[in-house]
Amino acid sequence: MFHEQAKKEKEKEAEQARKEKEKQRKEKEKEQAKKEKVKEAEQARKEKEKQRKEKEAEQARKDREREKQRKEKEQVQKEKERKEKEEEAEQVRRNKEEEAKEKEEKDLEQALMDERLDRELKKVEGSENRKKA
């Protein structure tokens, strides 16, 4: 009877130990699953942060490219305006030269006409003076 009692006691202890072991195994699995979940969440957070940084970097690159193009366009516009002003100034200069040339020609023609008229007048005066004399 004592032997049976001891056997039952041993079985009970063995069952208790088995249950304790199972409980520990489950807790360990639960802890492992929790660690895995935390690890996955951290990984997801890191991935999200990486994507955010990549997106920011891409946006910054696009902004720099846009700014570069804007400056180039502005530079081209300034150069175009400068050339137009130069051409305009050159045209004004040519027009003034042309006007000066035309005025000079007119003055020369006028001087020649005045000279001819003076000679004609002197001829007429000279022939009148001869007639009087």
Side-chain angles (χ1 to χ4, degrees), residues 46-131:
K46 283 181 181 178
E47 185 62 30
K48 197 172 181 181
E49 181 67 14
K50 181 183 170 189
Q51 286 176 350
R52 184 189 64 79
K53 284 182 179 178
E54 285 174 356
K55 194 174 179 181
E56 281 179 2
E58 180 64 18
Q59 189 60 44
R61 186 193 64 72
K62 283 180 181 177
D63 290 346
R64 284 192 303 273
E65 185 62 30
R66 220 176 282 121
E67 182 64 16
K68 182 182 171 188
Q69 286 177 349
R70 185 191 64 77
K71 283 184 178 179
E72 285 174 358
K73 193 175 179 182
E74 195 175 276
Q75 196 62 37
V76 166
Q77 186 61 32
K78 282 181 182 178
E79 185 63 22
K80 186 178 173 185
E81 287 171 5
R82 186 190 63 75
K83 280 184 179 177
E84 285 174 357
K85 281 182 182 178
E86 272 183 14
E87 288 172 4
E88 204 174 294
E90 180 63 22
Q91 189 60 46
V92 166
R93 187 191 62 74
R94 281 197 299 266
N95 289 348
K96 283 183 179 178
E97 275 183 5
E98 190 64 32
E99 287 172 11
K101 197 174 177 183
E102 286 174 7
K103 186 181 183 309
E104 193 179 318
E105 286 176 4
K106 268 186 184 176
D107 289 350
L108 194 59
E109 282 179 24
Q110 189 63 47
L112 287 172
M113 281 179 67
D114 289 350
E115 201 178 294
R116 260 192 243 128
L117 284 174
D118 280 350
R119 276 187 286 185
E120 285 294 317
L121 194 60
K122 281 181 185 174
K123 274 186 189 176
V124 170
E125 282 177 0
S127 70
E128 281 180 14
N129 282 344
R130 269 185 263 141
K131 282 182 183 175

